[in-house]
Amino acid sequence: MSVAWWLLGSWSRNWIRRATSPGGALGERDEGVEVRYVQTPWAFVDIRRPASPSRADGTLAFGGVTTTTTAAASDSSDVREVHWHSCVDMAWGGAGSDGTAGASLRSAAAWGA
């Protein structure tokens, strides 16, 4: 099942909040990063880069597949849930880096999601 039509497209935002630990609460609003997304019916790309070149954390990009499931809500209606499965991570720059790109592939199981 592909994602809902209203999720398709390309968009950006000027801040983000990240979890302070895996599955944890969201941290403070970070306005020092520009975020760009592209969402197709089955795949996505997410690119995050510092708004200032002096910031040490560099650019991060990841992409993968998007799946949806239908679950029953407490009122007996159906609720569609969207899940993003990252398959490729790319990082450029960052503290102590020579500025070259590095990549890691995630589990092949994510491609079969």
Side-chain angles (χ1 to χ4, degrees):
M1 180 183 310
S2 64
V3 299
W5 65 268
W6 51 269
L7 280 174
L8 301 177
S10 161
W11 62 96
S12 63
R13 61 186 188 185
N14 296 322
W15 61 272
I16 192 166
R17 289 178 62 197
R18 297 178 185 89
T20 54
S21 62
L26 292 177
E28 295 294 318
R29 180 174 163 154
D30 182 355
E31 295 180 2
V33 65
E34 297 171 347
V35 182
R36 307 242 188 250
Y37 298 101
V38 175
Q39 177 67 59
T40 73
W42 298 277
F44 73 94
V45 175
D46 181 317
I47 302 170
R48 301 173 185 193
R49 69 182 190 130
S52 168
S54 63
R55 191 163 160 169
D57 52 352
T59 298
L60 170 68
F62 50 96
V65 294
T66 310
T67 60
T68 59
T69 58
T70 302
S74 60
D75 64 359
S76 300
S77 64
D78 287 340
V79 176
R80 287 180 72 183
E81 295 179 349
V82 180
H83 304 271
W84 289 270
H85 309 274
S86 178
C87 301
V88 179
D89 291 333
M90 298 288 292
W92 291 270
S97 172
D98 63 2
T100 59
S104 68
L105 291 176
R106 300 243 180 191
S107 167
W111 289 104

